[in-house]
Amino acid sequence: MCGIVGYTGPREAYPIIIKGLKRLEYRGYDSTGVALQNGGLNVYKKKGKVAELEESIVGVNLHSHIGIGHTRWATHGEPSDRNAHPHQSASGQLAMIHNGIIENYSQLKQELINKGYSFSSDTDTEVLLNFIEEIKKNNNCSLEEAVRVALKRVTGAYVILLMDAGDPGTIIAARKGSPLVIGVGKGEHFLGSDASPMLEYTKEVVYVNDYELAIVKPDELILKNLGNEKITPYIQKLDIELAAIEKGGYDHFMLKEIFEQPRTVYDCLRGRLDAAEGTITMSGIQQYAEQIMNANRIVMVACGTSWHAGLVAEYIFEELCRINVEVEYASEFRYRNPVINKGDVIIAISQSGETADTLVAIENAKNNGAIILGVVNVVGSSIARISHAGAYTHAGPEIGVASTKAFTAQLAVLTMIALKIGYMKGTIPQKRYMQLLNELQEIPEKVAWTLKHSDTIKALAEKYKDAHDFLYLGRGYNFPVALEGALKLKEISYIHAEGYPAAEMKHGPIALVDENLPVVFVATKDPYHEKIMSNMQEIKARKGKVISVITEGDETSASLSDDVMLVPEADEILAPMLTVIPLQLLAYYTGLAKGCDVDKPRNLAKSVTVE
Ligand code: M6R
């Protein structure tokens, strides 16, 4: 969480930083700030989004060739002007921005208070900054040295960028547990939480690793470890185009990303699935294919929407590979003492590749001898790099805070892995294998068909937008889709929604049903179809409103429903890639109808890099 940007070079720093912060607002948007060297080290910051900061400093001379900027997702201290970053040290000589949490900040704060320091914010960041300044003063050393000494005392996660009034061309940066990318230009350097702020200036980037410190000047990038040894920066070439991170004519990123899904699923299958040849090529996991096939168990580790993809994958792997699968919330898995046996396969699913809980969960599992596969969207992200092997989802940058296209791409990748392993293992009959390959190839077209019905869903959103609660029900492969539909509605429209297995409804949630409760059934034609129709009857008998996602042409389900959303016919294993689409649209249009900021829902951030 929190977005950070930095620039040093011959250009005007402020416009680069502001534009970069707007691209990183998906990471947090409680407050914004920049620090510039314009006739001294000056900080401009404000509660609210980037645009609010911009408005508040119109007319100010912001001319500077170096600067750092921050968009915040609050951890320590409420969103306010004084808690906004950058923070300035007690002497005013240093300015710092931070993404992460300093866990032992209260102990460090007490030490500083004992030395006479006082604080103007409630943040852990201001504590760390003054701790660095105190070391610099006491040891009479460089800022770089002070940062190194300070970080050895720090527990927690951080990316920090620092500027020193006494060294006006340099940014000092360090990372542990939160992402940091440095863009290498000609006589200039860019820094960011991801590569989006630097895309139009350079395609050459360095992904900084944990426990590394960077001294960044216009024409020099020095990378060191905390032991003060130099490391040669490994420069990688980005292959993202600017258009991929712009709205492309849509009102919101979320809508653009929903509508991109025919292409993103296609991109994910492209070069991997060859239905005519009957092959699936996944070079990223090839080396580990035998070990996956022989695994005693697979554990899917993820959070949020990615966890829902893991649940669908559990059903798919068990069905196609006959391997025992467990699906774990990363945040629980990492803190318990799970039994991990050598040779267990852990599949980490993550759009951002930076989710702190998922990252630490797989680090622990790796240390215990598990094989780690990453199913990740962001190329070069921490989870991708720490995994032994894996497959990228190739969905392109997902900027809307609500995850949409990443989910369908995750399902496509996980399905291909299961098909490949099941086929190798001989647990999928040839005929079924070929049928699934052919059907999988048709999914992008079927997603496009589903999207053509968006107007019906828009009208439904208007009709039900004033409901206080929603229930989402599904069975089998569509149960995780019900959970995902409920999550989408909650985060985008702030309407309370619960997802449940349709049969489990009778064990409690049915008590909620009355004429005011919309119940969304994910009820496509599959082996549970008759059962779920009985569940619809049970809701109707209690006067609940039935809204169903059904297979085109299914008159029986339609007759039991107050409203329907259609998807084309598909094998039950592949159906979630279709049934989730109307639910994404329902959440989007409901949020829109209620006047919510759908791309930046309150309290949320795209990438949860705190624990
Ligand atoms: O980047 P990740 O896939 O690891 O993120 C996991 C969750 O934080 C994410 O899916 C979150 O639940 C989204 N807001 C859901 O729309």
Side-chain angles (χ1 to χ4, degrees):
M1 347 275 278
C2 301
I4 55 147
V5 185
Y7 175 77
T8 178
R11 303 177 205 245
E12 281 297 331
Y14 177 72
I16 293 173
I17 291 168
I18 285 293
K19 207 197 279 177
L21 288 177
K22 285 184 178 161
R23 290 189 189 149
L24 291 176
E25 261 189 323
Y26 71 87
R27 301 180 62 86
Y29 31 82
D30 295 337
S31 50
T32 316
V34 293
L36 301 168
Q37 296 271 17
N38 51 342
L41 181 56
N42 292 308
V43 166
Y44 309 91
K45 56 185 189 174
K46 190 156 182 49
K47 178 181 168 191
K49 296 185 177 142
V50 180
E52 290 166 65
L53 172 74
E54 267 185 298
E55 274 165 34
S56 73
I57 50 179
V58 170
V60 175
N61 176 7
L62 300 166
H63 171 68
S64 171
H65 294 297
I66 182 168
I68 54 178
H70 189 266
T71 175
R72 180 171 186 245
W73 186 87
T75 58
H76 294 57
E78 60 171 7
S80 63
D81 290 356
R82 69 189 186 90
N83 285 331
H85 300 210
H87 290 281
Q88 277 186 287
S89 59
S91 71
Q93 282 292 298
L94 305 179
M96 184 169 103
I97 55 177
H98 167 216
N99 168 28
I101 291 181
I102 305 303
E103 284 165 4
N104 59 340
Y105 88 102
S106 49
Q107 186 196 337
L108 302 178
K109 187 171 188 174
Q110 195 51 55
E111 286 178 27
L112 291 169
I113 289 171
N114 295 345
K115 289 182 173 152
Y117 278 81
S118 61
F119 295 88
S120 53
S121 78
D122 307 316
T123 64
D124 49 346
T125 308
E126 193 190 5
V127 173
L128 176 58
L129 175 60
N130 282 306
F131 186 59
I132 292 169
E133 175 155 271
E134 174 67 13
I135 292 171
K136 185 172 185 287
K137 204 169 64 188
N138 273 349
N139 298 5
N140 194 20
C141 63
S142 65
L143 177 58
E144 175 201 331
E145 180 59 18
V147 169
R148 201 169 14 252
V149 173
L151 292 182
K152 288 185 186 156
R153 283 279 317 274
V154 161
T155 55
Y158 53 79
V159 160
I160 51 172
L161 302 192
L162 285 120
M163 284 168 58
D164 183 346
D167 185 4
T170 306
I171 296 172
I172 304 279
R175 127 166 209 171
K176 187 201 148 202
S178 298
L180 174 62
V181 184
I182 301 180
V184 182
K186 287 202 173 65
E188 59 185 349
H189 285 101
F190 305 81
L191 299 98
S193 298
D194 67 29
S196 62
M198 54 201 78
L199 273 184
E200 59 261 66
Y201 311 106
T202 180
K203 290 275 182 337
E204 303 209 321
V205 297
V206 174
Y207 291 96
V208 178
N209 291 310
D210 279 350
Y211 303 107
E212 287 179 358
L213 185 142
I215 302 111
V216 190
K217 299 174 189 283
D219 44 18
E220 192 176 28
L221 167 63
I222 300 172
L223 215 54
K224 292 185 176 179
N225 61 22
L226 292 188
N228 200 20
E229 291 160 338
K230 278 198 180 173
I231 299 163
T232 310
Y234 172 53
I235 299 179
Q236 302 191 38
K237 253 214 148 47
L238 288 173
D239 69 350
I240 313 173
E241 292 308 322
L242 195 56
I245 57 160
E246 290 178 336
K247 282 191 201 145
Y250 286 90
D251 288 342
H252 295 98
F253 282 111
M254 182 177 174
L255 192 63
K256 176 193 173 215
E257 287 158 7
I258 292 173
F259 274 86
E260 274 177 345
Q261 289 175 105
R263 189 186 54 72
T264 52
V265 176
Y266 175 78
D267 284 347
C268 183
L269 304 177
R270 188 159 48 100
R272 290 168 166 166
L273 172 73
D274 188 335
E277 289 292 319
T279 56
I280 290 174
T281 312
M282 303 204 75
S283 48
I285 62 153
Q286 192 56 47
Q287 199 192 337
Y288 288 88
E290 290 267 331
Q291 289 168 77
I292 305 170
M293 191 178 89
N294 294 321
N296 281 330
R297 67 167 186 164
I298 294 176
V299 186
M300 309 273 172
V301 179
C303 302
T305 290
S306 299
W307 186 79
H308 296 153
L311 278 183
V312 178
E314 174 186 23
Y315 289 35
I316 299 177
F317 273 79
E318 290 194 346
E319 171 75 25
L320 300 183
C321 309
R322 306 307 297 147
I323 300 175
N324 172 29
V325 178
E326 288 160 31
V327 189
E328 295 276 358
Y329 283 118
S331 53
E332 290 297 315
F333 189 68
R334 59 169 290 196
Y335 286 113
R336 357 187 265 270
N337 189 9
V339 179
I340 296 169
N341 296 312
K342 203 166 175 349
D344 279 355
V345 172
I346 310 284
I347 303 188
I349 309 167
S350 176
Q351 188 286 127
S352 60
E354 300 293 347
T355 299
D357 285 323
T358 310
L359 189 57
V360 180
I362 60 172
E363 275 170 353
N364 295 345
K366 194 176 180 184
N367 291 338
N368 284 309
I371 294 165
I372 313 295
L373 301 184
V375 173
V376 172
N377 194 37
V378 177
V379 175
S381 55
S382 302
I383 293 174
R385 285 184 292 144
I386 201 183
S387 300
H388 290 110
Y392 283 117
T393 48
H394 296 314
E398 190 181 69
I399 295 175
V401 165
S403 192
T404 53
K405 63 176 180 172
F407 179 74
T408 44
Q410 286 163 349
L411 294 184
V413 164
L414 290 161
T415 306
M416 283 190 285
I417 299 177
L419 278 164
K420 185 172 180 61
I421 299 298
Y423 190 63
M424 280 172 61
K425 202 174 167 190
T427 43
I428 317 174
Q430 170 79 16
K431 194 167 161 221
R432 175 100 175 105
Y433 173 75
M434 285 309 294
Q435 175 228 335
L436 284 171
L437 253 53
N438 280 305
E439 284 212 26
L440 185 52
Q441 191 164 261
E442 289 166 8
I443 290 293
E445 233 170 86
K446 292 186 178 180
V447 173
W449 186 96
T450 309
L451 286 166
K452 283 197 186 118
H453 296 74
S454 63
D455 281 350
T456 318
I457 299 169
K458 193 173 183 181
L460 283 186
E462 282 293 337
K463 181 171 170 187
Y464 291 104
K465 69 174 193 300
D466 296 321
H468 291 290
D469 305 278
F470 270 71
L471 200 55
Y472 283 69
L473 302 175
R475 281 174 178 254
Y477 292 91
N478 277 326
F479 156 56
V481 177
L483 295 180
E484 175 60 8
L487 175 64
K488 285 291 89 94
L489 190 75
K490 271 185 278 216
E491 57 183 346
I492 297 307
S493 72
Y494 315 144
I495 296 176
H496 169 245
E498 279 193 58
Y500 248 80
E504 189 67 17
M505 173 219 17
K506 289 192 284 297
H507 300 278
I510 198 165
L512 298 170
V513 179
D514 64 15
E515 67 279 13
N516 298 316
L517 185 78
V519 182
V520 179
F521 278 92
V522 191
T524 43
K525 283 269 192 163
D526 57 25
Y528 324 96
H529 190 240
E530 285 192 2
K531 302 268 179 226
I532 206 160
M533 283 197 301
S534 306
N535 299 136
M536 284 184 195
Q537 299 273 20
E538 288 155 5
I539 298 294
K540 283 215 80 74
R542 288 159 184 84
K543 298 194 166 46
K545 299 278 177 288
V546 174
I547 310 165
S548 311
V549 178
I550 61 169
T551 309
E552 182 203 11
D554 174 8
E555 297 303 333
T556 326
S557 299
S559 68
L560 288 174
S561 308
D562 293 276
D563 291 287
V564 294
M565 299 179 270
L566 300 180
V567 293
E569 202 166 337
D571 189 279
E572 59 168 336
I573 287 185
L574 309 176
M577 280 182 271
L578 304 177
T579 50
V580 75
I581 307 281
L583 304 186
Q584 294 170 345
L585 287 167
L586 185 63
Y588 171 79
Y589 286 122
T590 307
L592 200 65
K594 297 192 72 161
C596 302
D597 188 345
V598 289
D599 276 340
K600 298 188 195 93
R602 71 182 177 211
N603 303 335
L604 283 167
K606 180 75 182 158
S607 184
V608 183
T609 54
V610 294
E611 296 158 5

